[in-house]
Short mmCIF file of all heavy atoms in Angstrom, two decimals:
data_model
loop_
_atom_site.label_atom_id
_atom_site.label_comp_id
_atom_site.label_asym_id
_atom_site.label_seq_id
_atom_site.Cartn_x
_atom_site.Cartn_y
_atom_site.Cartn_z
N ARG A 76 44.74 39.59 19.66
CA ARG A 76 44.02 38.69 20.43
C ARG A 76 43.96 37.33 19.91
O ARG A 76 43.71 36.33 20.65
CB ARG A 76 42.54 39.14 20.66
CG ARG A 76 42.35 40.51 21.43
CD ARG A 76 40.97 41.02 21.34
NE ARG A 76 40.57 41.40 20.06
CZ ARG A 76 39.47 42.04 19.63
NH1 ARG A 76 38.60 42.27 20.57
NH2 ARG A 76 39.21 42.36 18.42
N VAL A 77 44.34 37.23 18.63
CA VAL A 77 44.43 35.82 17.93
C VAL A 77 45.80 35.30 18.18
O VAL A 77 46.79 35.79 17.78
CB VAL A 77 44.13 35.94 16.46
CG1 VAL A 77 44.32 34.59 15.72
CG2 VAL A 77 42.60 36.44 16.26
N THR A 78 45.86 34.14 18.81
CA THR A 78 47.14 33.47 19.11
C THR A 78 47.58 32.67 17.88
O THR A 78 48.79 32.73 17.55
CB THR A 78 47.00 32.57 20.35
OG1 THR A 78 46.47 33.21 21.41
CG2 THR A 78 48.40 32.00 20.71
N THR A 79 46.69 31.91 17.30
CA THR A 79 47.12 31.05 16.16
C THR A 79 45.93 30.83 15.23
O THR A 79 44.76 30.87 15.74
CB THR A 79 47.68 29.70 16.65
OG1 THR A 79 48.15 28.93 15.59
CG2 THR A 79 46.57 28.86 17.32
N ALA A 80 46.27 30.59 14.07
CA ALA A 80 45.20 30.18 13.04
C ALA A 80 45.42 28.73 12.67
O ALA A 80 46.52 28.38 12.27
CB ALA A 80 45.34 31.02 11.76
N ILE A 81 44.35 27.88 12.78
CA ILE A 81 44.48 26.52 12.46
C ILE A 81 44.08 26.21 11.08
O ILE A 81 43.00 26.63 10.66
CB ILE A 81 43.53 25.67 13.50
CG1 ILE A 81 43.98 26.00 14.92
CG2 ILE A 81 43.63 24.19 13.17
CD1 ILE A 81 42.98 25.52 15.84
N ILE A 82 44.93 25.65 10.30
CA ILE A 82 44.68 25.31 8.96
C ILE A 82 44.77 23.79 8.74
O ILE A 82 45.40 23.04 9.49
CB ILE A 82 45.66 25.94 7.98
CG1 ILE A 82 47.16 25.43 8.19
CG2 ILE A 82 45.64 27.54 8.08
CD1 ILE A 82 48.11 25.84 7.17
N GLY A 83 44.02 23.39 7.67
CA GLY A 83 44.24 22.05 7.23
C GLY A 83 45.11 21.93 6.08
O GLY A 83 45.63 22.97 5.67
N ALA A 84 45.40 20.78 5.62
CA ALA A 84 46.32 20.63 4.42
C ALA A 84 46.07 19.26 3.79
O ALA A 84 45.94 18.21 4.50
CB ALA A 84 47.66 20.67 4.87
N SER A 85 45.88 19.21 2.52
CA SER A 85 45.75 17.94 1.79
C SER A 85 47.06 17.52 1.12
O SER A 85 47.12 16.42 0.60
CB SER A 85 44.68 18.17 0.72
OG SER A 85 44.90 19.14 -0.17
N SER A 86 48.07 18.35 1.18
CA SER A 86 49.27 18.05 0.55
C SER A 86 50.46 18.81 1.20
O SER A 86 50.21 19.86 1.87
CB SER A 86 49.33 18.29 -0.90
OG SER A 86 49.33 19.79 -1.21
N VAL A 87 51.66 18.37 1.06
CA VAL A 87 52.81 19.12 1.59
C VAL A 87 52.94 20.47 0.91
O VAL A 87 53.18 21.48 1.56
CB VAL A 87 54.05 18.26 1.41
CG1 VAL A 87 55.33 19.13 1.71
CG2 VAL A 87 54.09 17.10 2.38
N ALA A 88 52.71 20.52 -0.40
CA ALA A 88 52.81 21.74 -1.10
C ALA A 88 51.85 22.79 -0.58
O ALA A 88 52.18 23.96 -0.51
CB ALA A 88 52.61 21.50 -2.72
N GLN A 89 50.61 22.39 -0.31
CA GLN A 89 49.63 23.25 0.18
C GLN A 89 50.04 23.86 1.48
O GLN A 89 49.87 24.95 1.84
CB GLN A 89 48.20 22.65 0.23
CG GLN A 89 47.10 23.54 0.69
CD GLN A 89 45.77 22.72 0.79
OE1 GLN A 89 45.66 21.88 1.78
NE2 GLN A 89 44.88 22.93 -0.01
N LEU A 90 50.52 22.92 2.38
CA LEU A 90 50.93 23.35 3.68
C LEU A 90 52.07 24.35 3.58
O LEU A 90 52.01 25.45 4.26
CB LEU A 90 51.51 22.17 4.43
CG LEU A 90 52.26 22.36 5.75
CD1 LEU A 90 51.24 22.72 6.87
CD2 LEU A 90 53.10 21.20 6.16
N GLU A 91 53.10 24.16 2.73
CA GLU A 91 54.23 24.97 2.65
C GLU A 91 53.75 26.37 2.12
O GLU A 91 54.20 27.47 2.61
CB GLU A 91 55.24 24.43 1.62
CG GLU A 91 55.88 23.21 2.22
CD GLU A 91 56.95 22.51 1.28
OE1 GLU A 91 56.65 22.69 -0.02
OE2 GLU A 91 57.80 21.92 1.73
N ALA A 92 52.83 26.41 1.17
CA ALA A 92 52.39 27.66 0.54
C ALA A 92 51.69 28.48 1.61
O ALA A 92 51.89 29.72 1.72
CB ALA A 92 51.47 27.33 -0.66
N ASN A 93 50.77 27.87 2.35
CA ASN A 93 50.06 28.65 3.38
C ASN A 93 50.88 29.15 4.50
O ASN A 93 50.62 30.23 5.07
CB ASN A 93 48.87 27.78 3.85
CG ASN A 93 47.78 27.57 2.91
OD1 ASN A 93 47.63 28.40 1.90
ND2 ASN A 93 46.92 26.63 3.01
N LEU A 94 51.86 28.35 4.81
CA LEU A 94 52.78 28.81 5.95
C LEU A 94 53.65 30.06 5.59
O LEU A 94 54.06 30.80 6.45
CB LEU A 94 53.72 27.68 6.33
CG LEU A 94 53.12 26.50 7.15
CD1 LEU A 94 54.20 25.43 7.36
CD2 LEU A 94 52.52 26.98 8.46
N GLN A 95 53.67 30.25 4.31
CA GLN A 95 54.38 31.53 3.83
C GLN A 95 53.61 32.80 4.19
O GLN A 95 54.17 33.89 4.00
CB GLN A 95 54.63 31.36 2.33
CG GLN A 95 55.74 30.31 1.98
CD GLN A 95 55.87 30.20 0.44
OE1 GLN A 95 55.52 31.12 -0.29
NE2 GLN A 95 56.46 29.18 0.03
N ALA A 96 52.40 32.58 4.58
CA ALA A 96 51.64 33.81 4.95
C ALA A 96 52.35 34.64 6.01
O ALA A 96 52.21 35.95 6.01
CB ALA A 96 50.22 33.37 5.45
N VAL A 97 53.06 34.00 6.97
CA VAL A 97 53.68 34.67 8.04
C VAL A 97 54.93 35.40 7.70
O VAL A 97 55.46 36.15 8.50
CB VAL A 97 53.83 33.79 9.32
CG1 VAL A 97 52.45 33.19 9.82
CG2 VAL A 97 54.85 32.69 8.95
N THR A 98 55.47 35.16 6.51
CA THR A 98 56.74 35.76 6.05
C THR A 98 56.50 37.08 5.37
O THR A 98 57.44 37.79 5.21
CB THR A 98 57.51 34.73 5.18
OG1 THR A 98 56.75 34.54 3.93
CG2 THR A 98 57.69 33.43 5.84
N GLY A 99 55.31 37.40 4.91
CA GLY A 99 55.10 38.63 4.29
C GLY A 99 54.95 39.78 5.20
O GLY A 99 54.93 39.64 6.42
N PRO A 100 54.91 41.02 4.68
CA PRO A 100 54.89 42.24 5.47
C PRO A 100 53.47 42.37 6.24
O PRO A 100 52.45 41.70 5.75
CB PRO A 100 55.05 43.34 4.43
CG PRO A 100 54.52 42.81 3.16
CD PRO A 100 54.85 41.33 3.21
N ASP A 101 53.43 43.06 7.27
CA ASP A 101 52.19 43.35 7.96
C ASP A 101 51.32 44.05 6.98
O ASP A 101 51.70 44.78 6.00
CB ASP A 101 52.45 44.26 9.13
CG ASP A 101 53.16 43.48 10.26
OD1 ASP A 101 53.10 42.28 10.32
OD2 ASP A 101 53.68 44.25 11.10
N LEU A 102 49.97 43.91 7.28
CA LEU A 102 48.98 44.62 6.44
C LEU A 102 48.97 46.10 6.68
O LEU A 102 49.09 46.55 7.79
CB LEU A 102 47.55 44.06 6.71
CG LEU A 102 47.25 42.63 6.20
CD1 LEU A 102 45.98 42.22 6.85
CD2 LEU A 102 47.13 42.65 4.65
N THR A 103 48.96 46.86 5.63
CA THR A 103 48.94 48.31 5.80
C THR A 103 47.46 48.78 6.11
O THR A 103 46.62 48.01 5.87
CB THR A 103 49.46 49.03 4.61
OG1 THR A 103 48.55 48.82 3.51
CG2 THR A 103 50.84 48.63 4.18
N ALA A 104 47.38 50.04 6.55
CA ALA A 104 45.96 50.56 6.75
C ALA A 104 45.20 50.52 5.44
O ALA A 104 44.01 50.21 5.40
CB ALA A 104 46.06 51.91 7.33
N GLU A 105 45.81 50.77 4.40
CA GLU A 105 45.22 50.83 3.12
C GLU A 105 44.71 49.41 2.70
O GLU A 105 43.57 49.30 2.09
CB GLU A 105 46.12 51.47 2.00
CG GLU A 105 46.35 52.96 2.16
CD GLU A 105 47.38 53.18 3.35
OE1 GLU A 105 48.10 52.25 3.77
OE2 GLU A 105 47.50 54.38 3.76
N GLU A 106 45.60 48.42 2.94
CA GLU A 106 45.22 47.06 2.58
C GLU A 106 44.05 46.49 3.47
O GLU A 106 43.22 45.88 3.04
CB GLU A 106 46.45 46.13 2.73
CG GLU A 106 47.48 46.42 1.60
CD GLU A 106 48.80 45.85 1.87
OE1 GLU A 106 49.13 45.48 3.06
OE2 GLU A 106 49.57 45.60 0.85
N VAL A 107 44.11 46.89 4.75
CA VAL A 107 43.00 46.43 5.57
C VAL A 107 41.63 47.14 5.06
O VAL A 107 40.66 46.43 5.06
CB VAL A 107 43.30 46.88 7.08
CG1 VAL A 107 42.13 46.69 7.94
CG2 VAL A 107 44.49 46.15 7.65
N ALA A 108 41.73 48.39 4.73
CA ALA A 108 40.63 49.02 4.16
C ALA A 108 40.03 48.35 2.82
O ALA A 108 38.89 48.24 2.60
CB ALA A 108 40.83 50.45 3.96
N ALA A 109 41.03 47.91 2.08
CA ALA A 109 40.64 47.21 0.81
C ALA A 109 40.03 45.89 1.07
O ALA A 109 39.04 45.51 0.43
CB ALA A 109 41.92 47.03 -0.05
N VAL A 110 40.45 45.13 2.13
CA VAL A 110 39.84 43.94 2.52
C VAL A 110 38.39 44.17 3.00
O VAL A 110 37.55 43.39 2.70
CB VAL A 110 40.72 43.12 3.49
CG1 VAL A 110 39.97 41.92 4.15
CG2 VAL A 110 42.00 42.66 2.92
N GLU A 111 38.35 45.15 3.80
CA GLU A 111 37.00 45.53 4.39
C GLU A 111 35.93 45.69 3.39
O GLU A 111 34.72 45.42 3.67
CB GLU A 111 37.24 46.83 5.24
CG GLU A 111 36.01 47.21 6.13
CD GLU A 111 35.97 46.25 7.43
OE1 GLU A 111 37.07 45.73 7.82
OE2 GLU A 111 34.90 45.97 7.94
N ARG A 112 36.25 46.18 2.19
CA ARG A 112 35.25 46.39 1.16
C ARG A 112 34.59 45.16 0.72
O ARG A 112 33.36 45.13 0.42
CB ARG A 112 35.95 47.02 -0.06
CG ARG A 112 36.30 48.47 0.04
CD ARG A 112 36.79 48.99 -1.35
NE ARG A 112 35.77 48.78 -2.32
CZ ARG A 112 35.95 48.89 -3.65
NH1 ARG A 112 37.17 49.01 -4.15
NH2 ARG A 112 34.95 48.77 -4.54
N TRP A 113 35.29 43.97 0.84
CA TRP A 113 34.80 42.77 0.33
C TRP A 113 34.52 41.71 1.49
O TRP A 113 34.05 40.63 1.20
CB TRP A 113 35.79 42.14 -0.61
CG TRP A 113 36.13 43.19 -1.73
CD1 TRP A 113 37.30 43.89 -1.96
CD2 TRP A 113 35.26 43.64 -2.78
NE1 TRP A 113 37.26 44.70 -2.97
CE2 TRP A 113 36.04 44.59 -3.50
CE3 TRP A 113 33.97 43.31 -3.18
CZ2 TRP A 113 35.41 45.26 -4.58
CZ3 TRP A 113 33.44 43.94 -4.33
CH2 TRP A 113 34.15 44.90 -4.96
N ALA A 114 34.76 42.10 2.69
CA ALA A 114 34.59 41.22 3.77
C ALA A 114 33.20 41.16 4.34
O ALA A 114 32.36 42.10 4.03
CB ALA A 114 35.56 41.59 4.94
N ALA A 115 32.84 40.22 5.17
CA ALA A 115 31.66 40.22 5.89
C ALA A 115 31.67 41.53 6.78
O ALA A 115 32.71 42.02 7.19
CB ALA A 115 31.50 38.99 6.77
N PRO A 116 30.52 42.04 7.18
CA PRO A 116 30.54 43.22 8.11
C PRO A 116 31.04 42.71 9.48
O PRO A 116 30.93 41.55 9.81
CB PRO A 116 29.07 43.60 8.22
CG PRO A 116 28.29 42.35 7.76
CD PRO A 116 29.14 41.63 6.78
N SER A 117 31.68 43.64 10.19
CA SER A 117 32.22 43.17 11.42
C SER A 117 31.05 42.68 12.37
O SER A 117 30.04 43.28 12.55
CB SER A 117 32.83 44.43 12.25
OG SER A 117 33.48 44.00 13.31
N GLY A 118 31.39 41.51 12.97
CA GLY A 118 30.34 40.88 13.79
C GLY A 118 29.36 40.06 13.00
O GLY A 118 28.48 39.35 13.59
N GLY A 119 29.52 39.89 11.65
CA GLY A 119 28.52 39.28 10.82
C GLY A 119 29.16 38.11 10.01
O GLY A 119 30.39 37.94 10.05
#
């Protein structure tokens, strides 16, 4: 449902590093579960 994520940037290097997020592999179910442990509760 998310079309795009809007980021800021204070430098070209920061921009380039953050854009590399889309080149990595999809999150696995195990990784999503690992994030869930430390994330805000859903809806919170």
Side-chain angles (χ1 to χ4, degrees):
R76 294 169 295 185
V77 173
T78 308
T79 189
I81 301 170
I82 63 168
S85 59
S86 68
V87 169
Q89 185 185 71
L90 171 76
E91 291 176 338
N93 288 341
L94 289 177
Q95 291 176 16
V97 299
T98 64
D101 290 338
L102 290 166
T103 65
E105 292 77 14
E106 289 167 339
V107 171
V110 170
E111 192 74 27
R112 287 187 59 198
W113 308 107
S117 182

